Amino acid sequence: MNNDNNSPLLLEKFLPYRLSYLSNIVGRRLATIYSEKFGIAPPEWKVLAHLNRFPDISAAEVADKTALDKVAVSRAVNSLLDKGLVERSYAREDRRRSILNLSDKGRETYNQIEPLVRDYESVLLNALDDEEKQDLDRLITKLTGRAEDSSSD
């Protein structure tokens, strides 16, 4: 990381680039895990995982929790509905607000994918000792908070 504004920008030292690069590598590997066997695209996996964790939420709430844009979430939800992995109902108090949940098939699919992605996470984290894992978690949390705070500027 280079904080000297007078020197040229070196992408390989530029934190946003490095985070994006790492995220792309990890994301591609994860996508291979769930797309080949289950036909699930990355945004669909994120929706499935969030509906598993937070049932009875709207597509807008999924977008907020995943940091995906609403169009990507809408496409993912429609695809998951078509695949029978998600069910949609409507709120009694506001028929315009849809409520999303995993279907039985969606829960079963999620339960098959989860151990596979956890195994990949373990492979990655095995590069770190326990203290480094704690440091990484703390630092990611801190940077995420800063990025969220600065996005409202």
Side-chain angles (χ1 to χ4, degrees), residues 4-109:
D4 180 2
N5 289 331
N6 295 325
S7 58
L9 177 68
L10 302 174
L11 284 179
E12 64 276 9
K13 300 285 186 184
F14 184 57
L15 179 64
Y17 176 81
R18 294 174 72 193
L19 292 172
S20 176
Y21 183 82
L22 175 61
S23 177
N24 288 341
I25 292 170
V26 171
R28 277 195 306 266
R29 176 64 184 118
L30 285 172
T32 300
I33 291 170
Y34 47 73
S35 67
E36 288 179 356
K37 183 174 180 183
F38 301 95
I40 304 289
E44 294 169 350
W45 165 248
K46 290 175 184 175
V47 171
L48 279 179
H50 277 80
L51 291 179
N52 184 71
R53 173 84 168 85
F54 305 102
D56 298 321
I57 63 174
S58 68
E61 291 168 308
V62 172
D64 289 342
K65 290 181 181 301
T66 59
L68 291 171
D69 66 72
K70 290 180 181 179
V71 173
V73 170
S74 178
R75 287 184 184 138
V77 166
N78 286 330
S79 178
L80 292 168
L81 286 164
D82 290 345
K83 293 174 183 176
L85 301 175
V86 168
E87 297 172 340
R88 178 174 25 214
S89 60
Y90 294 91
R92 286 189 187 127
E93 66 279 356
D94 182 355
R95 298 288 300 161
R96 296 170 296 173
R97 182 179 180 272
S98 65
I99 299 170
L100 303 171
N101 280 291
L102 295 180
S103 66
D104 289 342
K105 182 180 176 185
R107 200 168 296 98
E108 180 182 315
T109 300

